Amino acid sequence: MIAPGSTIGILGGGQLGRMLAIAAAQLGYRCHAFDPNPDSGAAEVCAQFTCASWFDRNVLGLFAAACDVVTFEFENVPAGPLATIPPGKLWPPVKALEVAQDRLQEKSFAENCGGRPAAYAAVDSPEDLLRAIERVGAPGVLKTRREGYDGKGQWRIASAREAEGLRLPGSDLIYEGFVNFTAEFSVILVRAADGEVRFWDSPGNVHTGGILTTSTLPAPPVVVAQVPAARALAGRIAEALDYVGVMTCEFFATEAGPVFNEMAPRVHNSGHWTIEGAETSQFENHVRAICGLPLGDTRTTAPRVQMENLIGRDVERAGAILAEPGAHLHLYGKAEAREGRKMGHVTRIGR
Ligand code: AMP
């Protein structure tokens, strides 16, 4: 067990790290953030901050030595240099990061665990793309295999004809058939080192332009019906990875059952509602899991909960939100409200 008073290292300095550090502080831990970007919302609430390149193994080694346990809040942390961190000190395991960083590996990993992703094919050339469309069909979505997030690195393709004129944004791409879903939802779980798994209720998620806008509980009936199968898959993925910490899997609810979209080996935006809407938040349970403390109760505490992301200039509504009864405002301390940038969120609790 990593006792309260110890130091938790957080790789990544964004809002997820900020909320992790706040939860860790409540349990008596100190946090030390690591990020190449000096402008870090997590660093503002951490006892220490190391600002260095992900590839500086020397500094990464010193950082790990100064921490009692290390975790990550950003899934594009380059996996190679993490070999500097002694095994058993980094949770979730690096393997989870490697699988989640590559959409191709991620989908085949989920398939091997019995999951069903959208039809897909690897694309490294314009010829590959045409072959992929022939096999998978159109419309579809062309995505970068790595480093895409919030809808970045994704292009909708309506037909083979449209693809013929397309200049590819490089190689290492994946083409996926477009899924005609009824709803989107996520399974958020926490797994302890002894294999105990707890799930939060699954919210219905709405994305706009690839960015999550709301997570709502209770989810629509079509989601509720598909949660057991989705949970079973997420549990098998976590077990196959020897996972410790919070993990999220995103799904499309379709007429033929849940279609696996992607996994996040970390706390997730669709779990922010758990701060006020559940007995134990995803952030606290992540800390508990990686520190070897007993897991907390994941029960939802209100009949209705909705998390809304404040994206770009939505943040200008912060003053009005503060006046709303039952609304819990979180701002991430970002100075510039650029379009598409997650500036904060609000969770509304309904009775
Ligand atoms: P992703 O980054 O893959 O989670 O994609 C972001 C969002 O884009 C998803 O939550 C969906 O709303 C949409 N999307 C991505 N891939 C597909 C697909 N194959 N079919 C339909 N919608 C998709």
Side-chain angles (χ1 to χ4, degrees), residues 103 106-107 118-119 139-141 143 148-152 154 156 175-181 184 205-212 250-252 259 261-262:
R103 290 186 191 274
E106 181 179 54
K107 287 190 198 309
V141 190
K143 301 180 179 179
Y149 68 98
D150 286 349
K152 294 188 176 75
Q154 300 195 7
R156 288 277 292 273
Y175 177 76
E176 289 174 25
F178 191 81
V179 179
N180 270 320
F181 54 80
E184 292 190 74
N205 299 326
V206 174
H207 293 81
T208 313
I211 308 183
L212 182 68
E250 292 184 84
F251 291 89
F252 300 119
V259 171
N261 179 24
E262 61 178 358

Side-chain angles (χ1 to χ4, degrees), residues 205-229:
N205 299 326
V206 174
H207 293 81
T208 313
I211 308 183
L212 182 68
T213 36
T214 57
S215 291
T216 306
L217 281 165
V222 61
V223 167
V224 173
Q226 299 193 8
V227 164

Side-chain angles (χ1 to χ4, degrees), residues 164-217:
E164 274 165 24
L166 206 72
R167 251 191 51 209
L168 293 192
S171 56
D172 264 355
L173 304 164
I174 184 170
Y175 177 76
E176 289 174 25
F178 191 81
V179 179
N180 270 320
F181 54 80
T182 325
E184 292 190 74
F185 68 101
S186 47
V187 168
I188 310 153
L189 65 78
V190 59
R191 188 172 188 273
D194 66 3
E196 182 189 357
V197 174
R198 294 188 180 192
F199 296 94
W200 281 269
D201 282 336
S202 282
N205 299 326
V206 174
H207 293 81
T208 313
I211 308 183
L212 182 68
T213 36
T214 57
S215 291
T216 306
L217 281 165

Side-chain angles (χ1 to χ4, degrees), residues 6-10 24 29-32 67-69 71 287 290-291:
S6 306
T7 299
I8 300 172
I10 304 175
Y29 293 94
R30 302 170 73 251
C31 286
H32 183 162
C67 298
D68 298 290
V69 63
T71 190
V287 170
I290 64 168
C291 291

